Amino acid sequence: MRPIAIFYHIYLGGGTIPCDPENVTQIVTEQLSALYVSGLAASAQYIEIGVSGSEEDAFMVQSMAPDWKVTHNKTGVGELPTMKLMQDFCKSHPDWYVLYFHTKGAIYKGHITVTAWRNCMENVVIWRWKSCVADLESGLDSCGCHWLKPSQYPIIGNVPYWGGNFFWARSNLLNTCPPIDINADRYQAEVWIGKGRRARVRDYAMHWPGAHCIQ
């Protein structure tokens, strides 16, 4: 199996939309636990967490994950600074398997639909990570939930992408994507992966994200 890198974005502030720190802390606690309990953390060769927020926020996250690299995103909007870290890493690490995910729902405390959406994505990319890695081992470029295609959903624009922006991908695929502008609008984080070469993907939740994730 090729080496694994994990990039995890935590939003605690700094953008135009406020979040509830207590809500984010709960999400982070659950996601970190999933990484450990699933065995994924122990199997990864590199883990980096990008934090949008204050220096105190970054320090708190480092205390929660003392063994991993935590980078404080002092500029930029939303996920893009963390994704730029991932992009820079991939340039010098070809043939790695890369997981990207974030604190989906940080600004939606107690929102049933958003929570179900996040749990759906976590179930695939974290709890079922061995299946995702097997997909990449088989020759696929990426896997995750909600691969939205313009031919199926014209409303999304001109490129396909993972709805919700949790995904596994080969670093070689990500290296075909355009340079990331950390000051672009937050929607660019989601569509970025679709701007690379045409990808061979496996979609574990072939439906529109959100309410459809509620069973």
Side-chain angles (χ1 to χ4, degrees):
M1 185 176 70
R2 295 178 183 179
I4 291 172
I6 298 172
F7 288 85
Y8 175 28
H9 174 74
I10 297 175
Y11 179 70
L12 276 159
T16 58
I17 304 176
C19 65
D20 184 317
E22 183 179 348
N23 177 48
V24 181
T25 300
Q26 179 62 34
I27 294 172
V28 172
T29 299
E30 293 175 359
Q31 291 180 325
L32 290 177
S33 176
L35 286 173
Y36 282 114
V37 175
S38 68
L40 176 53
S43 297
Q45 283 68 46
Y46 185 83
I47 301 175
E48 184 164 3
I49 303 173
V51 179
S52 291
S54 67
E55 290 187 4
E56 290 76 14
D57 293 330
F59 180 80
M60 179 193 71
V61 171
Q62 185 70 81
S63 69
M64 297 175 73
D67 299 326
W68 302 342
K69 182 176 182 180
V70 174
T71 300
H72 180 208
N73 299 328
K74 299 178 182 179
T75 59
V77 178
E79 301 170 55
L80 290 167
T82 302
M83 295 184 69
K84 179 66 165 57
L85 296 173
M86 176 176 65
Q87 182 176 54
D88 291 344
F89 177 90
C90 288
K91 290 177 181 177
S92 58
H93 294 81
D95 299 318
W96 279 54
Y97 296 155
V98 180
L99 167 63
Y100 175 76
F101 71 107
H102 58 97
T103 49
K104 177 70 175 175
I107 62 174
Y108 297 105
K109 182 178 182 180
H111 197 295
I112 295 175
T113 299
V114 175
T115 299
W117 183 358
R118 183 180 69 250
N119 290 341
C120 177
M121 296 186 293
E122 290 171 351
N123 179 57
V124 170
V125 303
I126 299 178
W127 291 107
R128 300 174 65 183
W129 69 271
K130 292 181 180 178
S131 294
C132 292
V133 168
D135 290 336
L136 301 183
E137 287 274 287
S138 74
L140 296 181
D141 298 303
S142 185
C143 59
C145 295
H146 320 304
W147 183 246
L148 307 181
K149 297 175 288 187
S151 60
Q152 186 177 11
Y153 302 108
I155 193 174
I156 70 171
N158 298 322
V159 299
Y161 58 87
W162 294 110
N165 212 28
F166 283 38
F167 60 80
W168 278 90
R170 290 171 172 263
S171 59
N172 288 343
L173 170 67
L174 301 183
N175 283 335
T176 70
C177 297
I180 290 175
D181 175 4
I182 64 171
N183 295 303
D185 69 84
R186 48 199 293 268
Y187 178 66
Q188 295 306 310
E190 199 159 26
V191 301
W192 175 73
I193 194 171
K195 295 181 177 180
R197 65 169 168 79
R198 184 174 180 178
R200 297 162 296 174
V201 308
R202 181 175 183 184
D203 183 354
Y204 283 83
M206 299 174 65
H207 55 75
W208 186 261
H212 293 283
C213 296
I214 299 175
Q215 300 298 323

